[in-house]
C-alpha cells in the first residue's frame, strides 16, 4: 500500500490529483473502428480526413441556362448576343449537373429575351458563374474532424458526404458497478422493513452512459467478505473502472477499503466534502476503483467529483461547463429583416474578451456547422450586428475547450491542422481555431485585437524579404514577434500528366488556359502579382485571374475537378490530391505573435509543439515543406 489516509479531511481536489498522478499514465484511451452511422456522440481517436470532395460534380446554383463563358466574351448592352438553345445554352434547374462543355450559368432573370431558338444576353459572364464547383463544401484530403472530437449529427452528415464510412473512435470506458449490502434489494422486489431499493446503480450507470462510457451493473452482493472478494476480482478482470456502492465507511460491515487494499492499492479513504465524506479511492488490478457511499446524494456527488473525470479521461475529454457567453463580433453581420438567422461562429478568448468570428453562411456549406463553436441568433426584426458589438453566443462546444483555444486569423496552411491536432493529442482541449482570410487580413486582425497570432507569407517586392516590412507598416510601434513555422514550396498545380504542358509563368497567358487564383490580400496572391509584374504580364492576359479561392486545397481541387487548368499553390496541396506540379520557388511562412500573448500557457504549449520532432516529422510527411528554421524566432 502506497498511501492510506482513513477518513481524513483531505481536499477532494487533492484526492483526485493523487489518483490521476498514480494511474493516468497507465490508464490511457483505446481506439476502435466504427461505422459512421453508429458513431453519434463517440470521440474521435485520430484525425479524420475527407475521402472525396462534396459536391463531387459541378452543379448549377441557380435556375437558368448553362453556357460557355467564352461565348459571352464581348457582350454588352450595346452589343447583345443570341446564344442558340441546345448548343450554346442548355436550360438547368438548381442542383442539376452542368452539361459537358459548359462552365457557367446565367440566371433566368438575367436573360434579356427568350426566343424559340435561343436566349439573348446583354452582359458577359465569367467561368463558373452561379456554378457550385467540385469541393465547394468539402475538399478531398482536408481535415474534417480533429482528434478528441465528440461526433455530432452534423459531423456524421459531413463524414458520409465526404466518403468516410468508418471512423476511428475512442473505445467506451467499461465501468463495472457493484451494489453491496444485506439490506439492498432490486427495484422490482417486494420490500420488507429495513430493505432499501437499489436506485444508486441505475443513477450511476446512467451518468456513465451520459459521460460516454458503457456501464454494467453486477448483481447485488451481500456484506460477506468472501462473496465481495470474488465479485470484485471478476469485475476487475473485465472492466476498465470499478465502482463499489456502499461499504465505504467504518462500520462493522464496511469492507470496501479492505478489499481495495488486499487486491490493489488504497490511495485515499475519506475526503473533506459533505455529503460524501467516506469515499474510497484506489486501484485493483491496475484499474481505477471507487468506493462511493450508499446514501443516494453522496453517491451522486462523489460520482461527479471522481468518477466523471476518469470516464472522460479514458476518452481524452474533460468536463464542460456553461452553455452561453457574451462575445465581441469580429466583423459586421448583415441579415435580412423578417427571418431569425442563426449565424455559425468560431469563438476564442483574446486578451480579456471573447471574440466571435462568423463562418460561411452558405446553405450548402455543411462544414460551417462542423467547425462552429457556437450560434449567434439575429432577431427577425434586426438587420444584423456591427463590428465590435457584444453579442450573446449559444455554445456548441464546452467553454473549457474554448478557454484553451488559440485564435489564428491569416493565411491558410495545411500544417495548422496538424499543429492543432498535436496540441489536442498532448491533452489540450482547445487547439487552434483558424480563419483563412489571407496574410494582410490576418495582420489587420492583430491590430484590432481579434487574434492571438496570424499566419503570414508576404513578400516585399523591393527587398525580397518576407513579412517584417508589412508588420512595421501596419502595426507601427507594436511589439510583434515573428516565428518561422515552415518553408514551403510554391508550385503551379496542374492535372496529372500536365496535359496543357505548362512550364513557365508565360504559359498561363496562352489562349484557353484557365487559371484559378487566390483571394486578394493573401500571400500567394501577392507573390503571383509580383511574378506577373516581373515577367511583364498583366492580369488581363490571364483567363480566370478574377476567380478566387480562399485555401490551397480549394485551388488544388479546382484543378483536380477540371474546372481550372492551373493554379498557384503549395506543393503539399498538389500532393494531397495526387496532382502534378511545376516548381515556382520557396517561400517563408511565419507566425506573427504579439508579445503580450507570449506568456500565456496555451501559447507556450503551442510553441513547444512546433519545436518538437514529432510535429516536424508529420509536417515533412506532407511533402513540399522544409523545417530547417521551424520554431525559430527572428
Amino acid at each position: 500500500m502506497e498511501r492510506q489516509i482513513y477518513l481524513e479531511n483531505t481536499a477532494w481536489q487533492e484526492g483526485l490529483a493523487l489518483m490521476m498522478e498514480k494511474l493516468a499514465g497507465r490508464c490511457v484511451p483505446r481506439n476502435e473502428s466504427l461505422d459512421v452511422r453508429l458513431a453519434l456522440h463517440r470521440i474521435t481517436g485520430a484525425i479524420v480526413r475527407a475521402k472525396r470532395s462534396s459536391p463531387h460534380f459541378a452543379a448549377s446554383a441557380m435556375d437558368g441556362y448553362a453556357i460557355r463563358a467564352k461565348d459571352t466574351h464581348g457582350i454588352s448592352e450595346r452589343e447583345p448576343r443570341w446564344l442558340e438553345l441546345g448548343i450554346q445554352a442548355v436550360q438547368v434547374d438548381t442542383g442539376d449537373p452542368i452539361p459537358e462543355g459548359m462552365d457557367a450559368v446565367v440566371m433566368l432573370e438575367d436573360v434579356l429575351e427568350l426566343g424559340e431558338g435561343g436566349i439573348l444576353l446583354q452582359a458577359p459572364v465569367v467561368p463558373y458563374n452561379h456554378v457550385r464547383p467540385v469541393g465547394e463544401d468539402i475538399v478531398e484530403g482536408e481535415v474534417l474532424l480533429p482528434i478528441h472530437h465528440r461526433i455530432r449529427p452534423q459531423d456524421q452528415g459531413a463524414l458520409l458526404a465526404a466518403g468516410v464510412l468508418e471512423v476511428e473512435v475512442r473505445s467506451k470506458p467499461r465501468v463495472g458497478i457493484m451494489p453491496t449490502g444485506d439490506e439492498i434489494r432490486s427495484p422490482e422486489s417486494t420490500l420488507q422493513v429495513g430493505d432499501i431499493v437499489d436506485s444508486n446503480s441505475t443513477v450511476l450507470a446512467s451518468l456513465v452512459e451520459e459521460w460516454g462510457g458503457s456501464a454494467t451493473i453486477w448483481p447485488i452482493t451481500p456484506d460477506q467478505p468472501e462473496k465481495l472478494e470474488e465479485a470484485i476480482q471478476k469485475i476487475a478482470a473485465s472492466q476498465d473502472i470499478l465502482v463499489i456502492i456502499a461499504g465505504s465507511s467504518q462500520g462493522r460491515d464496511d469492507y470496501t477499503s479492505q478489499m481495495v487494499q488486499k487486491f490493489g492499492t488504497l490511495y485515499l479513504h475519506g475526503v473533506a466534502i459533505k455529503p460524501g465524506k467516506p469515499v474510497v479511492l484506489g486501484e485493483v488490478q491496475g484499474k481505477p476503483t471507487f468506493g462511493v457511499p450508499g446514501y443516494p446524494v453522496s453517491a451522486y456527488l462523489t460520482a461527479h467529483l471522481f468518477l466523471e473525470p476518469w470516464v472522460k479521461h479514458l476518452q481524452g475529454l474533460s468536463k464542460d461547463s456553461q452553455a452561453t457567453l457574451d462575445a465581441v463580433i469580429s466583423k459586421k453581420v448583415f441579415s435580412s429583416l423578417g427571418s431569425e438567422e442563426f449565424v455559425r461562429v468560431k469563438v476564442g478568448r483574446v486578451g480579456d474578451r471573447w471574440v466571435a468570428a462568423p463562418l460561411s453562411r452558405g446553405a450548402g456549406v455543411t462544414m460551417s456547422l462542423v467547425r462552429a463553436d457556437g450560434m449567434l441568433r439575429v432577431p427577425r426584426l434586426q438587420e444584423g450586428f456591427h463590428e465590435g458589438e457584444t453579442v450573446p453566443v449559444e455554445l456548441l462546444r464546452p467553454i473549457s475547450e474554448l478557454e484553451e483555444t488559440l485564435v489564428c486569423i491569416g493565411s491558410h496552411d495545411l500544417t495548422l491542422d496538424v499543429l492543432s491536432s498535436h496540441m489536442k493529442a498532448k491533452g489540450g482541449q482547445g487547439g487552434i481555431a483558424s480563419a483563412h482570410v489571407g496574410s494582410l487580413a490576418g495582420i489587420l486582425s492583430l491590430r484590432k485585437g481579434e487574434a492571438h497570432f496570424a499566419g503570414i507569407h508576404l513578400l516585399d517586392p523591393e527587398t525580397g524579404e518576407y513579412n517584417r516590412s508589412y508588420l512595421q507598416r501596419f502595426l507601427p510601434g507594436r511589439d510583434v514577434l515573428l516565428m518561422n513555422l515552415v518553408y514551403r514550396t510554391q508550385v503551379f498545380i496542374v492535372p496529372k500528366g500536365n496535359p496543357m504542358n505548362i512550364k513557365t509563368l508565360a504559359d498561363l497567358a496562352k489562349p484557353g488556359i484557365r487559371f484559378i487564383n487566390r483571394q486578394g490580400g493573401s500571400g500567394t496572391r501577392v507573390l503571383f502579382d509580383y511574378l506577373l509584374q516581373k515577367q511583364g504580364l498583366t492580369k488581363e492576359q490571364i483567363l480566370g485571374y478574377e476567380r478566387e479561392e480562399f485555401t490551397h486545397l480549394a485551388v488544388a481541387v479546382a484543378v483536380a475537378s477540371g474546372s481550372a487548368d492551373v493554379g498557384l499553390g503549395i506543393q503539399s496541396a498538389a500532393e494531397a490530391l495526387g496532382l502534378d506540379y511545376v516548381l515556382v520557388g520557396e517561400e517563408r511562412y511565419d507566425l506573427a505573435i504579439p508579445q503580450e500573448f507570449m506568456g500565456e500557457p496555451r501559447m507556450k504549449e503551442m510553441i513547444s509543439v512546433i519545436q518538437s520532432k514529432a510535429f516536424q516529422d508529420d509536417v515533412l510527411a506532407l511533402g513540399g515543406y522544409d523545417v530547417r528554421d521551424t520554431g525559430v524566432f527572428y
Side-chain angles (χ1 to χ4, degrees):
M1 183 176 64
E2 297 186 23
R3 181 183 181 189
Q4 180 176 354
I5 303 175
Y6 180 68
L7 293 183
E8 292 287 340
N9 281 331
T10 304
W12 71 265
Q13 296 93 334
E14 293 181 17
L16 178 61
L18 171 65
M19 196 173 184
M20 284 287 182
E21 177 187 345
K22 299 294 184 181
L23 280 176
R26 289 182 282 154
C27 300
V28 296
R30 303 188 313 273
N31 282 2
E32 61 179 303
S33 184
L34 190 64
D35 188 315
V36 167
R37 290 159 288 194
L38 304 176
L40 183 63
H41 302 318
R42 298 297 293 271
I43 307 302
T44 56
I47 296 174
V48 185
R49 297 181 182 275
K51 293 187 176 181
R52 66 181 174 216
S53 297
S54 176
H56 64 280
F57 62 90
S60 176
M62 297 287 178
D63 294 339
Y65 295 89
I67 63 173
R68 288 181 290 269
K70 67 180 183 180
D71 290 342
T72 68
H73 185 68
I75 293 179
S76 66
E77 292 183 1
R78 293 185 176 182
E79 297 184 15
R81 184 180 305 167
W82 285 93
L83 299 184
E84 185 176 355
L85 283 174
I87 298 178
Q88 294 178 298
V90 177
Q91 190 167 8
V92 291
D93 295 324
T94 301
D96 285 350
I98 299 301
E100 185 175 355
M102 305 298 184
D103 63 0
V105 170
V106 60
M107 294 190 298
L108 291 173
E109 49 265 44
D110 289 337
V111 175
L112 184 61
E113 188 175 337
L114 173 64
E116 293 184 2
I119 59 174
L120 182 62
L121 302 181
Q122 62 176 351
V125 297
V126 298
Y128 274 70
N129 181 65
H130 296 315
V131 173
R132 291 192 66 197
V134 173
E136 179 191 53
D137 186 6
I138 299 171
V139 177
E140 179 183 351
E142 78 168 291
V143 174
L144 297 176
L145 301 177
I147 193 172
H148 294 167
H149 174 85
R150 186 184 298 277
I151 297 175
R152 303 163 296 170
Q154 59 264 45
D155 300 327
Q156 289 175 296
L159 292 171
L160 294 174
V164 179
L165 301 182
E166 290 194 344
V167 61
E168 286 290 309
V169 297
R170 296 302 193 194
S171 298
K172 286 189 173 185
R174 299 166 297 178
V175 180
I177 298 174
M178 175 181 167
T180 71
D182 294 335
E183 73 282 16
I184 304 302
R185 300 289 183 268
S186 63
E188 62 271 12
S189 300
T190 300
L191 301 180
Q192 305 297 324
V193 175
D195 292 343
I196 298 175
V197 173
D198 176 29
S199 61
N200 285 333
S201 295
T202 298
V203 171
L204 296 185
S206 295
L207 285 173
V208 168
E209 298 287 342
E210 188 175 82
W211 298 329
S214 176
T216 301
I217 300 175
W218 253 251
I220 298 170
T221 305
D223 291 324
Q224 300 174 20
E226 64 277 7
K227 291 185 177 180
L228 291 169
E229 292 176 0
E230 180 183 0
I232 195 172
Q233 291 182 81
K234 286 183 178 179
I235 296 174
S238 62
Q239 304 296 294
D240 301 312
I241 300 175
L242 286 68
V243 178
I244 304 167
I245 302 176
S248 65
S249 190
Q250 55 182 341
R252 59 184 178 181
D253 291 329
D254 292 331
Y255 300 108
T256 299
S257 63
Q258 298 175 35
M259 288 190 299
V260 172
Q261 185 173 357
K262 181 175 181 178
F263 296 107
T265 302
L266 179 64
Y267 295 137
L268 192 66
H269 187 187
V271 293
I273 59 173
K274 182 181 179 180
K277 178 181 176 65
V279 69
V280 173
L281 306 180
E283 64 170 282
V284 174
Q285 297 182 20
K287 313 293 180 62
T289 302
F290 304 93
V292 301
Y295 286 113
V297 176
S298 297
Y300 182 87
L301 176 61
T302 54
H304 269 285
L305 293 179
F306 300 104
L307 178 58
E308 181 181 0
W310 273 99
V311 175
K312 298 289 182 67
H313 169 74
L314 289 181
Q315 299 171 83
L317 300 175
S318 62
K319 285 187 177 181
D320 51 14
S321 54
Q322 71 188 74
T324 64
L325 56 77
D326 292 332
V328 174
I329 196 74
S330 66
K331 67 178 181 180
K332 191 170 185 177
V333 174
F334 295 94
S335 185
S336 301
L337 289 174
S339 298
E340 182 178 9
E341 184 175 5
F342 294 81
V343 181
R344 284 80 75 191
V345 295
K346 294 294 296 183
V347 179
R349 182 186 287 276
V350 182
D352 60 354
R353 63 178 184 171
W354 289 97
V355 175
L359 291 170
S360 175
R361 296 157 73 180
V365 186
T366 310
M367 286 302 294
S368 66
L369 275 177
V370 175
R371 296 188 179 103
D373 297 321
M375 286 282 190
L376 169 62
R377 292 195 185 196
V378 183
R380 66 185 185 91
L381 297 180
Q382 187 170 326
E383 292 183 321
F385 296 103
H386 293 287
E387 177 181 340
E389 187 174 352
T390 299
V391 295
V393 176
E394 299 175 4
L395 298 182
L396 301 177
R397 302 189 196 279
I399 195 171
S400 57
E401 179 177 324
L402 301 178
E403 286 275 10
E404 296 184 23
T405 297
L406 286 170
V407 179
C408 172
I409 300 180
S411 175
H412 168 252
D413 190 82
L414 303 180
T415 58
L416 292 175
D417 291 325
V418 178
L419 175 58
S420 183
S421 186
H422 271 261
M423 292 175 66
K424 285 178 173 287
K426 290 193 68 174
Q429 298 301 310
I432 296 173
S434 58
H436 307 143
V437 297
S439 296
L440 282 174
I443 292 176
L444 295 178
S445 294
L446 294 181
R447 188 167 69 181
K448 293 184 289 185
E450 295 172 352
H452 294 104
F453 66 98
I456 59 176
H457 59 112
L458 291 165
L459 174 67
D460 188 336
E462 296 182 4
T463 65
E465 294 293 323
Y466 277 89
N467 301 325
R468 177 59 66 186
S469 64
Y470 289 87
L471 294 182
Q472 294 170 345
R473 186 187 316 167
F474 292 101
L475 300 173
R478 186 88 175 271
D479 190 3
V480 180
L481 302 178
L482 275 177
M483 181 182 70
N484 178 249
L485 185 62
V486 288
Y487 285 86
R488 59 188 194 179
T489 305
Q490 286 274 11
V491 299
F492 288 129
I493 301 174
V494 296
K496 201 69 176 176
N498 194 5
M500 306 302 287
N501 195 30
I502 294 172
K503 296 181 179 180
T504 67
L505 181 70
D507 292 332
L508 273 58
K510 292 180 179 178
I513 300 294
R514 298 169 301 164
F515 182 70
I516 179 73
N517 209 348
R518 285 294 305 279
Q519 83 278 14
S522 67
T524 299
R525 177 67 163 266
V526 172
L527 174 63
F528 184 62
D529 290 343
Y530 168 73
L531 294 175
L532 286 179
Q533 182 181 17
K534 189 175 179 181
Q535 191 73 25
L537 298 172
T538 65
K539 62 182 182 181
E540 288 78 15
Q541 293 176 269
I542 309 299
L543 178 62
Y545 179 91
E546 294 82 5
R547 185 184 169 198
E548 301 177 343
E549 291 288 358
F550 280 78
T551 68
H552 294 284
L553 277 174
V555 170
V557 80
V559 175
S561 66
S563 67
D565 300 311
V566 60
L568 183 61
I570 55 177
Q571 179 183 333
S572 57
E575 292 189 353
L577 272 65
L579 298 168
D580 282 349
Y581 51 86
V582 179
L583 295 177
V584 173
E586 185 182 65
E587 66 171 3
R588 200 176 85 198
Y589 182 92
D590 294 336
L591 303 183
I593 309 173
Q595 176 64 48
E596 61 261 33
F597 299 128
M598 290 297 294
E600 293 196 9
R602 50 187 167 170
M603 183 63 73
K604 293 179 179 179
E605 180 66 23
M606 184 189 78
I607 294 172
S608 175
V609 169
I610 290 172
Q611 294 173 342
S612 70
K613 185 177 185 299
F615 168 72
Q616 294 178 22
D617 286 344
D618 279 356
V619 169
L620 291 175
L622 295 174
Y625 289 105
D626 189 299
V627 296
R628 63 183 182 270
D629 289 330
T630 295
V632 175
F633 285 88
Y634 292 89

